[in-house]
Amino acid sequence: MTSTVPALGTRTAEGSALQAVLLDMDGTLVDTEGFWWDVEVEVFASLGHTLDDSWRHVVVGGPMSRSAGFLIEATGADITLAELSVLLNDGFERRIGRTLPLMPGAARLLAELSAHEIPTALVSASHRRIIDRVLTSLGPQHFGLTVAGDEVPRTKPHPDPYLAAAAGLGVDPVRCAVVEDTATGVAAAEAAGCHVVAVPSVAPITPAVRRTVVDSLEEVDLTFLRGLMTQMR
């Protein structure tokens, strides 16, 4: 997508300027949702259990406490949530040490936001240890702030991570555009009052008020994101 971006601060209506862009990580910027499922399958196989593929839609996009807790209950595996969390994070770190593919359009969008000095935050349900590893591929210079799932009282689908990101950047959540790939993340962003761009990765997401659905990040640029704010006049 070719971007024709107006000057920073351009407004089409009073109070309608985009103040910040808040981005999810797994499945949105990096193609890792499949990595998490593969690790979950491997870990439970080592425990003597086979995961049903239909469960993938249940655990995608959620905090580890929810997804891991669901899998323990569904399989009856003899392991605690704390023990399983360590195994899953260890397994994921090993995988991203091999390769970490970015989603189509992610590198271009991050570069564009940086070039126009748009306040940008990475907001993930993944733990800090995982975010810090992934940042080496995404480029930490693109983000003014990062929020990890183990750093907020309640993570997605609660609004806390996005409210924390907006507060940290000093912006109004209502004037933030959030880019997410799962229903869990969309729910968190909408509960925080943000306008959401959904780029579904595993399960479909339907359009709604203050929610725009696209097929790929290649459809999203700064002009597109600023346009979301004008729809709220």
Side-chain angles (χ1 to χ4, degrees):
M1 170 183 260
T2 301
S3 172
T4 53
V5 183
L8 184 64
T10 296
R11 293 173 181 261
T12 55
E14 181 62 30
S16 66
L18 174 70
Q19 291 186 350
V21 178
L22 316 178
L23 300 130
D24 174 53
M25 187 176 76
D26 294 299
T28 299
L29 293 177
V30 288
D31 192 7
T32 50
E33 289 291 10
F35 285 16
W36 280 113
W37 178 248
D38 290 344
V39 170
E40 288 161 348
V41 168
E42 290 175 2
V43 168
F44 276 90
S46 72
L47 297 172
H49 298 276
T50 300
L51 300 189
D52 189 312
D53 196 61
S54 66
W55 296 342
R56 182 175 181 179
H57 297 288
V58 179
V59 301
V60 67
M64 185 170 291
S65 58
R66 189 197 73 184
S67 57
F70 168 82
L71 293 174
I72 291 172
E73 183 176 353
T75 60
D78 184 18
I79 189 170
T80 68
L81 181 60
E83 292 169 337
L84 180 56
S85 295
V86 171
L87 292 178
L88 293 177
N89 277 321
D90 286 347
F92 186 79
E93 281 196 88
R94 286 193 296 272
R95 279 189 172 266
I96 64 176
R98 303 173 197 164
T99 179
L100 187 55
L102 270 59
M103 298 297 288
R108 186 266 312 151
L109 177 60
L110 290 176
E112 184 179 20
L113 294 174
S114 291
H116 286 268
E117 300 182 348
I118 302 299
T120 303
L122 185 67
V123 184
S124 177
S126 290
H127 290 185
R128 170 54 57 187
R129 60 181 285 196
I130 300 298
I131 287 182
D132 287 345
R133 286 289 301 276
V134 174
L135 274 173
T136 61
S137 294
L138 288 173
Q141 71 276 9
H142 294 307
F143 304 98
L145 178 71
T146 63
V147 178
D150 57 343
E151 296 175 338
V152 288
R154 302 179 303 173
T155 189
K156 304 172 186 180
H158 299 287
D160 304 39
Y162 283 111
L163 292 175
L169 293 175
V171 297
D172 182 352
V174 174
R175 297 299 172 193
C176 293
V178 167
V179 186
E180 272 281 358
D181 73 305
T182 68
T184 300
V186 167
E190 291 181 341
C194 307
H195 195 124
V196 180
V197 179
V199 192
S201 60
V202 176
I205 299 173
T206 58
V209 176
R210 297 176 62 82
R211 182 195 310 165
T212 303
V213 181
V214 298
D215 293 327
S216 167
L217 279 183
E218 293 183 313
E219 300 177 42
V220 181
D221 64 7
L222 189 48
T223 298
F224 177 92
L225 294 172
R226 281 176 168 151
L228 299 179
M229 300 299 108
T230 70
Q231 297 172 19
M232 299 184 295
R233 286 181 294 178

